Amino acid sequence: MSKPVNALASPRFCGIRTFMRLPYQTDLQDIDFAVLGIPFDTATTYKPGCRFGPAGIRAASTILKSYEEVLDVDIFEECSGVDYGDIDIIPGHLDESFERIEEGMSALLKNDIIPVVMGGDHSITLPQLRSIVKKHGPVALIHFDAHSDTGSDYFGKPYNHGTTFHWAIKEGLIKPEESTQTGIRGPLYGRDSLKFVRESGMQVITGWELHEIGINEAIKRIKERISPGTPVFMSFDIDFLDAAYAPGTGTPEIGGFTTHEALKLVLNCCQGQELVGMDLVEVLPESDNAEITSFAAAGIMHAFLSCVAANKRAKR
């Protein structure tokens, strides 16, 4: 079984940086999940630099351990996982990079492996979903973000990190009636900015509303929309967190949420679901303070992997 280096035998600051010190491996035999980087930020509209997100998250992840106490699960007692490396994108060329992302994901999906992706800007979710749908069909989306990312275009062009879910809905990649966007907040371009996503049938829990109703009610609303057996994809933009907890991102927003609240949402919303993939996007290490954004990102990914392990245990 592929599992991390033993930190009691080799100090955490030793070795080449991989996620959680997992083996870097492209052999896909007997693997449950693969962590991979998509270091693409050509589609950003404000601060660039999240192409270095995977490297920052990998470095921070060396502090993680395998046991998750809330779910009472040891990830590597239940699962085998590897760091699959990065998909080689083409900087400055969006369409060609999307093709490489879609193709790069297909090898994992053909082998029934759950891809766990480190971005990169949020545009990378669209080619991931295109690849996932070929294997699993349309998914229920659990989306944590400060921004809805449902604009139809920016600067007259259809694809960037603010249009991802507009085109995912239009292409039939997600099931809006079973999906939820949570944490949406901050100034908008106009009063109709969220009209398209709401009219599509997607549930939108704004940041203001989430603060009012609380985390437990939000968990209830997210989970009750998802039908049993529906494939579920989670996309976590790090700017869901308040700028105080995630300064290292390209479009930070105040009025957000704590790392504790994020962990509670992920652990509860993903437990018991038919998880088929996850990404964590928009980490920009150059703007980070004391690596706190990268540590937060690594911890949220750990929570997702804990759910993968707990779900596998429950099936067994």
Side-chain angles (χ1 to χ4, degrees):
M1 176 177 284
S2 293
K3 57 185 179 180
V5 173
N6 182 354
L8 298 178
S10 172
R12 296 183 181 280
F13 46 81
C14 292
I16 297 170
R17 294 291 180 261
T18 61
F19 188 83
M20 282 187 73
R21 305 182 78 196
L22 284 164
Y24 166 60
Q25 184 175 313
T26 55
D27 180 358
L28 299 177
Q29 297 300 311
D30 301 318
I31 300 298
D32 295 297
F33 69 84
V35 179
L36 66 154
I38 302 180
F40 181 78
D41 63 2
T42 294
T44 53
T45 55
Y46 195 54
K47 288 193 213 174
C50 57
R51 65 182 63 183
F52 298 107
I57 298 169
R58 283 186 172 106
S61 75
T62 59
I63 200 170
L64 297 171
K65 305 172 183 69
S66 61
Y67 177 71
E68 206 293 310
E69 64 175 343
V70 174
L71 302 182
D72 185 27
V73 67
D74 188 302
I75 295 170
F76 298 101
E77 285 181 359
E78 304 295 335
C79 293
S80 180
V82 299
D83 190 318
Y84 192 62
D86 290 344
I87 291 176
D88 290 324
I89 55 82
I90 307 173
H93 295 269
L94 190 146
D95 290 336
E96 294 86 346
S97 292
F98 276 17
E99 290 172 5
R100 288 194 174 192
I101 293 166
E102 187 174 344
E103 181 181 352
M105 296 280 288
S106 65
L108 301 176
L109 296 164
K110 286 176 182 176
N111 285 276
D112 297 318
I113 294 167
I114 296 174
V116 182
V117 170
M118 302 172 287
D121 70 52
H122 218 155
S123 72
I124 67 170
T125 306
L126 183 59
Q128 288 180 71
L129 289 173
R130 287 170 175 168
S131 191
I132 285 171
V133 164
K134 290 176 183 176
K135 170 71 175 182
H136 298 288
V139 301
L141 176 71
I142 299 177
H143 176 202
F144 300 106
D145 204 326
H147 310 103
S148 180
D149 297 345
T150 50
S152 60
D153 67 275
Y154 275 68
F155 315 112
K157 301 296 183 182
Y159 301 129
N160 91 354
H161 70 162
T163 66
T164 299
F165 299 106
H166 177 96
W167 295 109
I169 292 170
K170 285 285 192 180
E171 293 179 24
L173 307 179
I174 61 179
K175 297 181 173 182
E177 70 280 2
E178 298 194 44
S179 302
T180 304
Q181 296 187 322
T182 304
I184 311 304
R185 64 186 191 279
L188 301 170
Y189 289 108
R191 63 172 50 88
D192 292 332
S193 292
L194 298 177
K195 182 179 180 181
F196 169 80
V197 65
R198 285 179 165 142
E199 288 184 349
S200 76
M202 181 97 72
Q203 176 173 233
V204 179
I205 302 174
T206 67
W208 283 102
E209 186 178 6
L210 181 54
H211 282 300
E212 291 293 325
I213 66 175
I215 299 299
N216 289 337
E217 175 62 20
I219 292 166
K220 177 176 176 288
R221 293 186 187 183
I222 292 167
K223 295 187 77 171
E224 68 185 7
R225 288 174 67 86
I226 303 172
S227 302
T230 296
V232 173
F233 182 88
M234 188 185 89
S235 188
F236 196 107
D237 188 319
I238 202 67
D239 66 27
F240 171 84
L241 301 177
D242 189 86
Y245 292 87
T249 189
T251 49
E253 294 283 359
I254 64 170
F257 302 92
T258 69
T259 48
H260 170 74
E261 290 169 321
L263 290 174
K264 188 172 183 180
L265 282 162
V266 173
L267 288 170
N268 283 277
C269 290
C270 293
Q271 186 182 11
Q273 305 292 355
E274 196 65 39
L275 301 174
V276 296
M278 176 256 190
D279 66 12
L280 192 144
V281 297
E282 301 284 357
V283 172
L284 201 169
E286 190 176 68
S287 296
D288 209 357
N289 297 325
E291 301 177 274
I292 61 173
T293 310
S294 292
F295 281 115
I300 290 162
M301 291 176 65
H302 184 276
F304 178 84
L305 292 174
S306 298
C307 291
V308 171
N311 294 349
K312 183 179 179 183
R313 179 182 61 188
K315 289 181 180 179
R316 177 168 54 78

